[in-house]
Short mmCIF file of all heavy atoms in Angstrom, two decimals:
data_model
loop_
_atom_site.label_atom_id
_atom_site.label_comp_id
_atom_site.label_asym_id
_atom_site.label_seq_id
_atom_site.Cartn_x
_atom_site.Cartn_y
_atom_site.Cartn_z
N ASN A 32 23.21 33.52 118.80
CA ASN A 32 24.18 34.08 117.85
C ASN A 32 23.54 35.26 117.17
O ASN A 32 22.34 35.40 117.21
CB ASN A 32 24.43 33.03 116.78
CG ASN A 32 25.52 32.09 117.16
OD1 ASN A 32 26.38 32.41 118.00
ND2 ASN A 32 25.52 30.92 116.59
N ILE A 33 24.29 36.11 116.58
CA ILE A 33 23.75 37.22 115.86
C ILE A 33 23.50 36.81 114.40
O ILE A 33 22.49 37.30 113.83
CB ILE A 33 24.71 38.48 115.94
CG1 ILE A 33 24.74 38.97 117.46
CG2 ILE A 33 24.31 39.59 115.05
CD1 ILE A 33 25.59 40.09 117.75
N THR A 34 24.36 36.03 113.82
CA THR A 34 24.21 35.53 112.52
C THR A 34 24.29 34.01 112.44
O THR A 34 24.94 33.37 113.33
CB THR A 34 25.22 36.10 111.52
OG1 THR A 34 26.48 35.85 112.02
CG2 THR A 34 25.08 37.58 111.34
N LYS A 35 23.63 33.43 111.48
CA LYS A 35 23.73 31.98 111.20
C LYS A 35 25.04 31.80 110.46
O LYS A 35 25.59 32.67 109.95
CB LYS A 35 22.50 31.46 110.38
CG LYS A 35 21.24 31.60 111.16
CD LYS A 35 20.12 31.19 110.24
CE LYS A 35 18.72 31.41 110.97
NZ LYS A 35 17.63 31.09 110.08
N GLY A 38 25.44 33.53 107.24
CA GLY A 38 25.47 35.02 107.21
C GLY A 38 24.03 35.71 107.39
O GLY A 38 24.04 36.92 107.54
N THR A 39 23.02 34.90 107.42
CA THR A 39 21.71 35.53 107.56
C THR A 39 21.45 35.75 109.07
O THR A 39 22.06 35.11 109.91
CB THR A 39 20.61 34.64 107.01
OG1 THR A 39 20.64 33.39 107.75
CG2 THR A 39 20.69 34.40 105.48
N THR A 51 25.37 37.32 123.31
CA THR A 51 26.19 36.50 122.42
C THR A 51 27.60 36.37 123.05
O THR A 51 28.27 37.34 123.36
CB THR A 51 26.36 37.16 121.01
OG1 THR A 51 25.12 37.46 120.52
CG2 THR A 51 27.19 36.23 120.06
N LEU A 52 28.06 35.10 123.27
CA LEU A 52 29.42 34.87 123.71
C LEU A 52 30.37 35.23 122.60
O LEU A 52 30.30 34.70 121.47
CB LEU A 52 29.66 33.41 124.17
CG LEU A 52 30.94 32.96 124.64
CD1 LEU A 52 31.37 33.75 125.88
CD2 LEU A 52 30.98 31.48 124.84
N ILE A 53 31.38 36.08 122.92
CA ILE A 53 32.34 36.58 121.95
C ILE A 53 33.67 35.87 122.11
O ILE A 53 34.38 35.52 121.12
CB ILE A 53 32.53 38.09 122.06
CG1 ILE A 53 31.19 38.84 121.73
CG2 ILE A 53 33.65 38.64 121.15
CD1 ILE A 53 30.71 38.67 120.36
N LEU A 81 28.62 39.90 124.53
CA LEU A 81 28.05 41.06 123.84
C LEU A 81 26.54 41.14 124.02
O LEU A 81 25.88 40.10 123.79
CB LEU A 81 28.44 40.97 122.31
CG LEU A 81 28.06 42.18 121.52
CD1 LEU A 81 28.95 43.39 121.83
CD2 LEU A 81 28.20 41.86 120.02
N SER A 83 23.56 43.06 122.53
CA SER A 83 23.29 43.99 121.42
C SER A 83 21.76 44.17 121.21
O SER A 83 21.01 43.15 121.30
CB SER A 83 23.88 43.46 120.09
OG SER A 83 23.42 42.08 119.87
N ALA A 139 35.39 47.61 118.38
CA ALA A 139 34.03 47.35 118.18
C ALA A 139 33.70 47.01 116.69
O ALA A 139 32.97 46.07 116.40
CB ALA A 139 33.11 48.53 118.61
N HIS A 140 34.43 47.75 115.81
CA HIS A 140 34.25 47.42 114.36
C HIS A 140 34.81 45.96 114.10
O HIS A 140 34.17 45.22 113.28
CB HIS A 140 35.10 48.45 113.53
CG HIS A 140 35.17 48.14 112.04
ND1 HIS A 140 34.06 48.29 111.30
CD2 HIS A 140 36.20 47.55 111.35
CE1 HIS A 140 34.49 47.86 110.05
NE2 HIS A 140 35.69 47.48 110.10
N PHE A 141 35.94 45.64 114.69
CA PHE A 141 36.48 44.31 114.50
C PHE A 141 35.48 43.25 115.03
O PHE A 141 35.27 42.20 114.32
CB PHE A 141 37.79 44.16 115.23
CG PHE A 141 38.35 42.81 115.23
CD1 PHE A 141 38.96 42.27 114.16
CD2 PHE A 141 38.24 41.94 116.35
CE1 PHE A 141 39.46 40.97 114.10
CE2 PHE A 141 38.78 40.60 116.36
CZ PHE A 141 39.36 40.15 115.23
N VAL A 142 34.84 43.44 116.20
CA VAL A 142 33.95 42.45 116.71
C VAL A 142 32.78 42.27 115.74
O VAL A 142 32.35 41.18 115.40
CB VAL A 142 33.44 42.90 118.09
CG1 VAL A 142 32.23 42.05 118.57
CG2 VAL A 142 34.50 42.79 119.12
N TRP A 143 32.20 43.34 115.22
CA TRP A 143 31.04 43.27 114.33
C TRP A 143 31.48 42.61 113.03
O TRP A 143 30.71 41.89 112.45
CB TRP A 143 30.35 44.60 114.18
CG TRP A 143 29.53 44.94 115.40
CD1 TRP A 143 29.91 45.62 116.45
CD2 TRP A 143 28.26 44.33 115.73
NE1 TRP A 143 28.90 45.65 117.45
CE2 TRP A 143 27.89 44.88 117.01
CE3 TRP A 143 27.28 43.46 115.05
CZ2 TRP A 143 26.68 44.54 117.60
CZ3 TRP A 143 26.20 43.19 115.67
CH2 TRP A 143 25.85 43.68 116.95
N SER A 144 32.58 42.88 112.53
CA SER A 144 33.12 42.31 111.26
C SER A 144 33.28 40.78 111.52
O SER A 144 32.96 39.98 110.64
CB SER A 144 34.41 42.93 110.84
OG SER A 144 34.25 44.25 110.51
N MET A 145 33.91 40.45 112.71
CA MET A 145 34.11 39.05 112.94
C MET A 145 32.72 38.27 113.04
O MET A 145 32.68 37.11 112.59
CB MET A 145 34.76 38.98 114.32
CG MET A 145 35.03 37.52 114.89
SD MET A 145 35.75 37.53 116.50
CE MET A 145 34.39 38.17 117.46
N LEU A 146 31.78 38.91 113.56
CA LEU A 146 30.41 38.34 113.63
C LEU A 146 29.71 38.22 112.25
O LEU A 146 28.72 37.51 112.14
CB LEU A 146 29.48 39.07 114.63
CG LEU A 146 29.96 38.99 116.07
CD1 LEU A 146 29.16 39.97 116.95
CD2 LEU A 146 29.93 37.56 116.63
N GLY A 147 30.23 39.00 111.33
CA GLY A 147 29.59 39.00 109.95
C GLY A 147 28.21 39.70 109.97
O GLY A 147 27.29 39.27 109.29
N ALA A 148 28.08 40.76 110.84
CA ALA A 148 26.78 41.30 111.02
C ALA A 148 26.88 42.83 110.87
O ALA A 148 27.93 43.38 111.02
CB ALA A 148 26.15 40.97 112.36
N LYS A 149 25.73 43.41 110.63
CA LYS A 149 25.69 44.89 110.65
C LYS A 149 25.68 45.42 112.08
O LYS A 149 25.23 44.73 112.96
CB LYS A 149 24.40 45.41 109.98
CG LYS A 149 24.22 44.97 108.53
CD LYS A 149 25.03 45.80 107.62
CE LYS A 149 24.67 45.49 106.20
NZ LYS A 149 25.62 46.05 105.30
#
Side-chain angles (χ1 to χ4, degrees):
N32 275 334
I33 293 175
T34 57
K35 295 177 184 175
T39 60
T51 308
L52 178 64
I53 299 296
L81 184 71
S83 53
H140 173 75
F141 173 76
V142 167
W143 284 97
S144 295
M145 176 185 69
L146 294 171
K149 300 282 186 192

